[in-house]
Amino acid sequence: MLRLTWKPTSVLALLAIIVVVTAWLFAEFQTYRLHQERLRSDVLSHVSLLRAKLEGNVNKNLELVRGFVATLATEPEMTQERFSELADNLLAGRSQIRNIAVAPDLVVTMVHPLEGNRQVIGLDYRNNLAQREAALRARETGELVLAGPVELVQGGLGFIARFPVFVDDGAGGERFWGIVSAVIEAEKLYRDSGLLDEDLPVEVAIIGRDGKGNIGDHFFGPAEIARDNPVMADVVLPAGSWTIAARPNGGWDQTPPNAWTLRLVMLAGGILLLIPALAVGQLIEERLKNVDELRRREMELEGLSRRLSLALDSSQIGVWELNTETNELIWDGRVNQLYGYPPDNGPRDYTHWERAIHPDDLQRVLRDAERANLAGDAFQTQYRLLLPNGEIRHLRESAKAYSDRNGAIRIVGVNWDVTADVTLAESLKRANMMTEARNSELRAAKERIEFNSLHDSLTGLPNRRYVDEMLAEHIAKFETEGERAALLHLDLDRFKQINDTLGHAAGDAMLVHAARVLKANLRHGDFVARVGGDEFIVLCKIEPPDRDRWDDVLASLADRIIEEMHQPVLYQGHECRFGVSIGIACDLDQVADPRRLLVNADLALYRAKSRGRNRYQFFNDALQAEIVTTKRTADDILSGLERNEFVAYYQPQFDATTHAIIGVEALARWKHPSSQLLLPGDFMKIAEELNVVATIDRMILEQSLDDMKKWAREGINVPKASVNVSARRLHDEELIRGLRDLSIRPGSISFELVESIFLDENDDQFTWNVDQIKALGIDIEIDDFGTGYASIVSLLKLKPKRLKIDRQLVTPILTSPTQRHLVGSIIDIGKSLGIEVMAEGVETMEHARVLKSLGCTGLQGHAFAPALSAADFKEFARGRKVRAAS
């Protein structure tokens, strides 16, 4: 290790160097600080001038446009010629305004100059994502909004000042008329404000796009200026502010002009101070050498004496010496004390030593001593002493032979008490054994806890947490080894019925049975887990030989599972049957995505259940496309509800005898944004999944009430309108309150209930709602009668106003006597119960004649009229002429 020795010469030289360096650094710091202050002052002066020019130019342009806006507010019907005259005067001065545009109702209709800006005409700010927000903000706040810089429709960059225009509404107030937009050409504004001056001694950046000040985006100059401790100045605008950040050309790290002169002066002064210091130090060094040598010798003697004394006092070691020729044994006081003898009890011999050694250790110690003497080696051993008072003491001994001046062989040895060390070692050994036992218990408990945290307590299968770990492991192997896998998501069919009828113990037994079936059918390396109440997941590795036929392998596995799950299971004398639906997804893409794999398998499972359960379904491109289409349709439905795109179409209903209009059926139609008119079959299933069918029903009901009022005012009296009502809505606790708020005239509205609502098993809320609907004067009709589940008992309980025979029964009556007889029987049943009967799907006048002869009271179908919009129905009703069926 290198040791540094400080000499007086070195100390004085070091002090001189420290003084010189300190003075040098202080001078450098002061020079740099003063230079920085001068730089910041110069930059601030230039920035203030640029800020004033930029602020003045922008405000001047905006004030010019304000005058034009004031004129336009008094002349909202301004012609193109008048606009061009005013705009030309506005642009004739020294300004940076590139063009000015007028947008009544946010659509640009006039622009000046027209040349080069024609493409702006017709621009709708509401449809332009780049300009929509600023235009709407100007309309909502009624204040000027300065946006930019932005990419202009006609090319280039510019700042757009949007002034809202409000005109007199004729009632003493104001109404929003439109927007006046003035484009300030960015490059011209920068040039006229001096920002593009090639001789500008500073670098400038501007922050605050759209007038947002220092929280806005950077839009001019290098962005790093704002991070380089710049000089800042705010440009105050009528609609916000900008922030100018500036630094000198070349940055702040510049060498002061007089730096090298100062350094040379400091170097010369340092040399003049260092030479005398070195000379004085050399003289002192020679004087101190002699003093140091004397002091060193004294300290060596003193230290040697002190160490010897401390060693004898603190070591607690006893020293003995044996004369091998006379067997004379000399013990010091410490040895006597160790062996249990008085400190000064006369001379000792071999017997004193031998009697004190523990009998169990004596022979071993004697053998060790004899071997050491024969070999001439040092002797070291450890043994126990058995003292007269019965105390056991552990002793360690070390001895070595030497020849004295007379040639006699003597042995010198030392003894010291190690009882505390031995006791501590034994305690540590016992503690270590206890610790090992405890650690074994803890390891076993940890293993049990880890197993329980990763496994289902009922089936013993891995749980969802274990699935996540396996998927994470699969990702690693996917990336490093190219492993591919398939995931099967299984859900037990009819499991809830077993749980509800036989109890949870039966359900648990079925789950255990399902787990056994799955484990029995898995291949080597496959992984199965229970992830929910009756849901399981199987993760299958797709080996390279199987990748070309992975669908066959997985289909075969799914078939086996479905087949065995379908077998009956005996539980306490009951034969339980349940099935399983399986969704299958594979990760054969380039990137492993466990979340997507789970979602795809879940979607495939949902599709398997929707197609009849007890089957499997692969997730494929067709299902993906269907999901995307369904998602797009669902989004469109929600948007359509917000935009009131669902409208009522009306199919007239006619008296079977007179063919007079006796009512209409209100049918939902969707005016899709694609300009298509969609029928319920195109959207109703997805609407049911979104739980918005009740909303559509309510919208159609409200439109029907409004249209009937309009027709009545124009002399068209429609006796009633039939509207559909969903099963979900009939169970809604808020249905009756909403109907009361509509103030429906009794007898003017009928609710059509499809027969598929299982009328024999309705709940109390359903029954109460139906009774309250009747109390409000709203009739109840059974739609599509003959195709569902309604029984005679149901009809007696519900007491509907009328039945509508489904078109599937009506269409064949011209060619099938059996079908005709069936329809006649339905009409007879209705008459016997006092229920009116209407037939739908009347496609020909021959159908109308036959139905009339069977006693049908009402007709509806294309033979008379299709579903019509409200306006078309009004025209149809006005020109309707009654004609008899031939």
Side-chain angles (χ1 to χ4, degrees), residues 418-431:
V418 294
T419 303
D421 294 343
V422 172
T423 302
L424 178 61
E426 291 176 349
S427 298
L428 291 175
K429 184 177 181 180
R430 288 193 298 272

Side-chain angles (χ1 to χ4, degrees), residues 8-9 46 110 167 200 211 339 351 393 396 524 669 689 760 772 775 835 843:
T9 307
H46 289 290
M110 295 186 289
V167 299
L200 191 65
Y339 279 81
T351 60
R393 182 175 292 165
R396 186 169 296 165
H524 176 70
R669 296 292 187 267
E689 294 177 357
D760 289 334
Q772 293 299 310
I835 302 173
E843 301 298 326

Side-chain angles (χ1 to χ4, degrees), residues 29 275 420 530 817 857:
F29 172 75
I275 291 175
R530 180 188 176 201
T857 56

Side-chain angles (χ1 to χ4, degrees), residues 512-528:
V512 172
H513 171 74
R516 285 198 299 265
V517 170
L518 291 176
K519 288 189 289 186
N521 282 280
L522 294 188
R523 306 170 306 168
H524 176 70
D526 289 348
F527 173 83
V528 61

Side-chain angles (χ1 to χ4, degrees), residues 286-301:
E286 293 296 330
R287 173 76 176 83
L288 293 176
K289 280 183 179 180
N290 296 326
V291 176
D292 287 344
E293 182 64 22
L294 292 175
R295 186 177 297 146
R296 184 183 64 78
R297 293 179 180 179
E298 292 176 357
M299 291 179 66
E300 285 181 357
L301 292 175

Side-chain angles (χ1 to χ4, degrees), residues 352-625:
H352 292 89
W353 173 72
E354 185 176 339
R355 286 199 305 267
I357 297 176
H358 193 288
D360 294 343
D361 293 348
L362 179 60
Q363 294 303 319
R364 175 180 59 80
V365 175
L366 292 176
R367 287 195 303 271
D368 291 345
E370 184 177 358
R371 282 197 298 269
N373 289 334
L374 292 175
D377 295 333
F379 172 66
Q380 291 184 347
T381 187
Q382 181 174 318
Y383 50 85
R384 291 171 293 172
L385 299 179
L386 181 60
L387 303 184
N389 60 3
E391 177 187 357
I392 295 179
R393 182 175 292 165
H394 294 265
L395 217 65
R396 186 169 296 165
E397 181 174 283
S398 179
K400 188 172 180 60
Y402 75 95
S403 297
D404 61 12
R405 291 178 298 175
N406 299 322
I409 303 299
R410 293 177 177 270
I411 300 175
V412 176
V414 295
N415 294 77
W416 64 95
D417 188 354
V418 294
T419 303
D421 294 343
V422 172
T423 302
L424 178 61
E426 291 176 349
S427 298
L428 291 175
K429 184 177 181 180
R430 288 193 298 272
N432 185 55
M433 292 174 63
M434 293 179 64
T435 301
E436 286 295 329
R438 173 68 64 159
N439 287 339
S440 298
E441 293 177 1
L442 291 176
R443 282 193 296 271
K446 180 181 178 182
E447 291 173 357
R448 288 195 301 272
I449 292 171
E450 288 182 352
F451 181 87
N452 291 336
S453 69
L454 295 174
H455 290 78
D456 172 43
S457 59
L458 176 64
T459 63
L461 293 178
N463 57 17
R464 181 56 182 266
R465 180 182 170 194
Y466 203 158
V467 171
D468 294 338
E469 292 187 4
M470 290 298 296
L471 289 174
E473 180 181 331
H474 167 60
I475 291 175
K477 291 184 178 180
F478 185 100
E479 296 173 349
T480 59
E481 303 175 12
E483 178 181 279
R484 298 295 185 269
L487 192 142
L488 283 69
H489 191 176
L490 301 92
D491 185 87
L492 302 184
D493 300 329
R494 296 191 71 254
F495 175 76
K496 185 176 184 301
Q497 288 87 334
I498 296 174
N499 239 2
D500 292 344
T501 55
L502 299 180
H504 290 286
D508 291 346
M510 298 307 104
L511 291 174
V512 172
H513 171 74
R516 285 198 299 265
V517 170
L518 291 176
K519 288 189 289 186
N521 282 280
L522 294 188
R523 306 170 306 168
H524 176 70
D526 289 348
F527 173 83
V528 61
R530 180 188 176 201
V531 296
D534 59 347
E535 294 184 49
F536 299 84
I537 277 182
V538 176
L539 184 66
C540 301
K541 295 180 182 179
I542 302 176
E543 302 297 339
D546 295 334
R547 290 181 186 174
D548 292 336
R549 58 183 190 91
W550 60 270
D551 49 347
D552 295 333
V553 174
L554 298 175
S556 176
L557 173 61
D559 282 331
R560 291 198 308 272
I561 293 174
I562 291 172
E563 176 64 27
E564 293 195 28
M565 288 285 190
H566 194 59
Q567 300 303 314
V569 182
L570 287 177
Y571 175 78
Q572 295 184 354
H574 298 278
E575 187 177 83
C576 302
R577 289 182 180 271
F578 62 91
V580 63
S581 298
I582 306 176
I584 307 173
C586 300
D587 62 352
L588 297 179
D589 297 330
Q590 297 301 316
V591 179
D593 186 349
R595 180 177 175 276
R596 173 53 55 188
L597 192 63
L598 287 166
V599 170
N600 290 348
D602 188 57
L603 291 171
L605 172 63
Y606 176 79
R607 175 49 49 85
K609 282 184 168 294
S610 67
R611 290 182 174 175
R613 303 176 183 270
N614 206 35
R615 64 181 60 220
Y616 63 85
Q617 173 67 50
F618 282 94
F619 183 86
N620 49 37
D621 293 341
L623 182 55
Q624 175 68 34

Side-chain angles (χ1 to χ4, degrees), residues 745-765:
R745 179 172 54 85
S748 63
I749 293 294
S750 294
F751 277 178
E752 291 192 359
L753 283 70
V754 293
E755 192 189 4
S756 57
I757 299 175
F758 193 45
L759 301 177
D760 289 334
E761 297 185 4
N762 48 61
D763 58 19
D764 294 339
Q765 184 66 50

